[in-house]
Amino acid sequence: MFPRLLCSLSVLSLSIAPVQAAETNLLDLLNTPHLRSIDNLRDVAGTTTAYSTANDGTMRGGVFYRSNALTPSAADLATLNGLGIKSVYDLRNPSEIAGTPDTLPNGARYSNIDILGPSGSLPTGSLNSAADAIAMMKGINRSFVSDSGVRGQFTTLFNELAGVDGAALFHCTAGKDRTGWTAAVLLSIAGVDSATIMSDYLATNQYTAARVAATLAHMPPEMAAIYAPLLGVEASYLQASLDQVTAQFGSMDNYLKQGLGLSQETIYVLRGKMVFYNSLPGQAGLVGNAAAGAGLLQQLQNSKLSGTYSAYNYYLQSAIDGGSLGGVESTVGGQVHADAASYLLRQGAMVEQAAAPFASGTDLKIGQYRLWSTALAGYLGTDGSSQAASSNEHSQGLMIGLTQRFSEQLSGHAGFGYSRGNVGGAGGEVDTDWTFFTGGARYAFDGLERGLFVEGKANAGWLDYDSKRDLGGGLGTAKGDSHGTLSGATVAVGYRVPVSNMILEPSLGVRVSHLDVSGFQEKGSELALDVDSTQETRRSAVANLNVAFAPVGMGAWQLVPGVQVGYEHVLGDNDIYSEGQLLGLDVEQRAAFDNRDQFTGGVNVMANLGPLSLGAEVGASGGGDSHGFSGGLKASYLF
């Protein structure tokens, strides 16, 4: 009897609303349009302004709307159509729907989820006073939590709200009890504080004041006094539901998971739909690549990945709860692509160093030539900094060449080779395969054995590029592949002079390297980047000192030891960047190697037996936060 009476009173108040509702100053301040014919329509995100949430969040407007029954006037329907509502969830029972059927916004899908069901387990008894009515309302609100059938209907509703694509509206007859508890639960999931949730709940009394007053005015005073508590809301109604949550489940989180059976993923989807976090955990203290990565994660809240059943949404919401981005801020931006570009731009120097013992032709007579080969390997590590995560580089390769002396003053060399590189940094790894040709010439004004000389060296080749980035945080692995070209040249002036039992050969020059890698789209992760093409040129001033010592006899062999010292200074900007996009958002990352100055040093020994030479060299390099070593085995034959 009493549930039916309550519905009848609500219908009566709704039928009076269009002619009795009045605009107030309060209503003028609200963000949601206020409709005379649907007076309890409002945005779940807030009344006057969007609510703030825990962890520096702000409620998003236009996601979920709440209202009383949808009985709009023609003018109000036009306004309702402009809200972009795609789904309407009617929480009423069949008799309520039959009395006041919904008029749907254009394009909206209708679903009926009868929260109370046929009986709704509602309390029964006579209403003899306002106290009886209040007790009845508290009982109804407790049943939202205690009644298993009602909980099952709320489970359906929240799962539907999580999966809806676009704005959704839910309502009952008066938009205050079933609708009010739904809104309160959503606000709790969002992290809105309890005082604000209560204030939002009680706002129904302000929205519906004119309608309720008109309804009560049609009753005898004694009856109006008894039934007034049924037409509005009181704090004790919502508190009855909340107290039942505590008594039965211990916490709202347990109510959601145990009482309603919602998964953590669904709870996170609902929260992602409703809340935008103005900052992420630790974001304010980040700089460099990590700051750019965190900024990308933060901006992705406005992408199609947020508030959906995506790995990104689950990761982000977990990070909010855990208070840490879990290192993803350093991996998401693709620093390894910048590291790989920086590595490749320095490979020309490695090729020149490997060929150096054979390239000058000073040990040849006019017309002679030497066939040579060298196997090379190297490592360079760069410590992490506030700007970038650490990186490491490994390389190995083989080069075969021929050097010929054409005259007293001129020699030349040419060769081809293969170098495989592996670059690791910020959770990523890039493999590069470079097949190249190299060549050069030296001209000495007074003869190759002594005096002033000029020389030029060049290399160029084709590049295969494969990358893999483990993003962490359950976000999968992004893989990419591309191709390109790598080339470079060095021009130097030097002087060769015998001193005592050694030969000194200092030189000064300029080296230019150019890298051109095609852009590509990574695959394998929701956060895979669309990596821009890389077109970088590196210019450096170089200084080298090669020292060859007098041969030392060892049986039939002659050992020729040597020392090399080098210095390179980058001209212009010494930082290398990579750029990419994700869902229209840009991210830029800087390579860990950012040294303007780099020093190298090494020792070598060649063992000569007639026309045959065998040798080895080891070296080290350093500068700034970078440190490494290299080595190689060499062989040649003189014709």
Side-chain angles (χ1 to χ4, degrees):
M1 169 184 177
F2 295 107
R4 186 170 300 171
L5 175 60
L6 179 59
C7 294
S8 298
L9 289 171
S10 298
V11 171
L12 174 61
S13 65
L14 281 171
S15 66
I16 295 173
V19 297
Q20 296 294 334
E23 301 293 333
T24 68
N25 291 334
L26 171 64
L27 300 185
D28 289 339
L29 297 174
L30 302 178
N31 295 326
T32 307
H34 295 281
L35 308 184
R36 293 174 60 87
S37 55
I38 314 175
D39 59 2
N40 211 7
L41 172 70
R42 47 197 164 110
D43 197 319
V44 171
T47 52
T48 57
T49 58
Y51 298 140
S52 297
T53 76
N55 301 307
D56 195 25
T58 301
M59 293 290 290
R60 302 176 191 262
V63 177
F64 295 135
Y65 293 96
R66 53 175 293 180
S67 78
N68 45 334
L70 296 182
T71 56
S73 63
D76 286 347
L77 179 59
T79 303
L80 195 63
N81 287 335
L83 297 181
I85 295 169
K86 300 301 182 183
S87 296
V88 171
Y89 296 95
D90 189 342
L91 311 184
R92 301 175 296 168
N93 63 34
S95 62
E96 292 175 279
I97 296 171
T100 53
D102 280 347
T103 299
L104 297 179
N106 288 341
R109 178 179 63 89
Y110 176 84
S111 298
N112 174 222
I113 302 175
D114 182 1
I115 292 295
L116 297 180
S119 65
S121 298
L122 293 172
T124 60
S126 60
L127 292 181
N128 298 314
S129 66
D132 289 343
I134 292 172
M136 176 183 172
M137 294 308 301
K138 289 181 180 179
I140 293 174
N141 277 270
R142 278 192 291 270
S143 75
F144 293 157
V145 179
S146 62
D147 188 285
S148 60
V150 173
R151 289 201 308 272
Q153 295 296 82
F154 275 118
T155 299
T156 300
L157 173 61
F158 288 120
N159 278 316
E160 285 285 327
L161 291 175
V164 68
D165 182 14
L169 180 147
F170 54 90
H171 75 89
C172 54
T173 296
K176 65 185 185 68
D177 299 314
R178 289 159 288 187
T179 296
W181 177 242
T182 302
V185 172
L186 288 173
L187 291 174
S188 179
I189 290 172
V192 174
D193 65 87
S194 57
T196 302
I197 293 174
M198 182 61 76
S199 176
D200 182 82
Y201 178 78
L202 295 176
T204 283
N205 293 332
Q206 295 172 302
Y207 277 79
T208 64
R211 168 164 52 91
V212 170
T215 301
L216 294 174
H218 283 69
M219 298 180 182
E222 297 80 4
M223 184 179 181
I226 295 174
Y227 288 103
L230 303 181
L231 299 182
V233 293
E234 296 186 10
S236 62
Y237 302 170
L238 178 60
Q239 194 60 51
S241 300
L242 296 173
D243 289 344
Q244 187 65 33
V245 166
T246 301
Q248 191 168 345
F249 297 102
S251 68
M252 179 62 75
D253 190 61
N254 286 343
Y255 165 70
L256 295 172
K257 294 175 180 176
Q258 299 171 16
L260 301 185
L262 300 181
S263 67
Q264 183 66 72
E265 188 174 17
T266 294
I267 294 170
Y268 280 164
V269 168
L270 287 169
R271 195 168 78 179
K273 286 179 180 293
M274 293 187 289
V275 183
F276 178 86
Y277 292 99
N278 304 297
S279 63
L280 302 183
Q283 184 178 8
L286 299 175
V287 296
N289 290 349
L296 179 62
L297 292 171
Q298 202 253 0
Q299 291 179 72
L300 284 171
Q301 291 181 94
N302 288 329
S303 76
K304 64 182 181 181
L305 299 177
S306 185
T308 62
Y309 288 90
S310 66
Y312 163 78
N313 189 75
Y314 193 92
Y315 155 75
L316 184 71
Q317 303 302 325
S318 298
I320 294 296
D321 286 345
S324 170
L325 293 176
V328 176
E329 71 277 12
S330 295
T331 64
V332 68
Q335 176 193 315
V336 72
H337 298 304
D339 289 331
S342 175
Y343 160 80
L344 289 168
L345 286 168
R346 289 177 272 114
Q347 292 314 288
M350 180 195 69
V351 169
E352 292 178 9
Q353 180 181 350
F358 308 115
S360 68
T362 55
D363 59 333
L364 302 178
K365 296 179 181 179
I366 297 174
Q368 282 188 320
Y369 57 91
R370 181 182 295 277
L371 179 67
W372 50 267
S373 67
T374 177
L376 50 118
Y379 165 82
L380 182 75
T382 301
D383 296 335
S385 66
S386 61
Q387 298 295 323
S390 62
S391 70
N392 59 81
E393 306 166 0
H394 299 267
S395 60
Q396 55 276 329
L398 178 68
M399 183 164 46
I400 298 173
L402 183 71
T403 302
Q404 182 170 4
R405 184 166 182 172
F406 299 105
S407 69
E408 187 71 22
Q409 298 170 298
L410 180 64
S411 67
H413 71 277
F416 67 93
Y418 170 84
S419 176
R420 180 174 179 82
N422 176 270
V423 181
E429 184 176 324
V430 171
D431 291 323
T432 63
D433 294 327
W434 183 37
T435 303
F436 61 88
F437 291 91
T438 183
R442 174 180 288 197
Y443 179 82
F445 297 93
D446 297 321
L448 294 176
E449 289 76 14
R450 183 186 184 102
L452 184 68
F453 64 85
V454 294
E455 63 181 358
K457 305 171 185 177
N459 55 78
W462 296 269
L463 183 70
D464 286 327
Y465 184 104
D466 294 287
S467 65
K468 178 177 69 175
R469 298 192 298 120
D470 295 320
L471 295 170
L475 295 169
T477 300
K479 298 180 179 181
D481 64 86
S482 187
H483 54 84
T485 60
L486 176 62
S487 58
T490 299
V491 177
V493 177
Y495 196 87
R496 181 179 174 88
V497 54
V499 177
S500 186
N501 292 323
M502 56 185 172
I503 298 175
L504 303 180
E505 191 177 282
S507 64
L508 294 172
V510 176
R511 177 181 295 127
V512 178
S513 299
H514 180 74
L515 173 67
D516 191 343
V517 177
S518 299
F520 58 95
Q521 172 68 60
E522 294 177 327
K523 299 179 181 179
S525 169
E526 291 174 349
L527 302 191
L529 294 173
D530 186 0
V531 182
D532 287 359
S533 61
T534 300
Q535 295 179 326
E536 290 278 357
T537 300
R538 188 173 190 260
R539 300 174 179 83
S540 305
V542 293
N544 291 291
L545 174 62
N546 294 326
V547 181
F549 295 94
V552 178
M554 184 174 288
W557 292 83
Q558 280 193 325
L559 302 182
V560 183
V563 174
Q564 306 89 37
V565 178
Y567 168 70
E568 182 172 5
H569 176 80
V570 177
L571 305 174
D573 189 1
N574 58 302
D575 292 325
I576 301 298
Y577 290 89
S578 66
E579 295 181 349
Q581 290 82 42
L582 176 58
L583 300 177
L585 302 171
D586 296 329
V587 63
E588 182 180 73
Q589 299 276 274
R590 191 170 88 176
F593 184 95
D594 60 358
N595 306 330
R596 185 176 295 276
D597 300 294
Q598 187 79 354
F599 298 88
T600 59
V603 296
N604 66 77
V605 60
M606 296 297 296
N608 301 325
L609 179 63
L612 176 66
S613 295
L614 302 174
E617 66 176 356
V618 293
S621 61
D625 296 322
S626 301
H627 41 83
F629 58 85
S630 62
L633 298 175
K634 304 177 184 300
S636 71
Y637 196 85
L638 179 66
F639 292 92

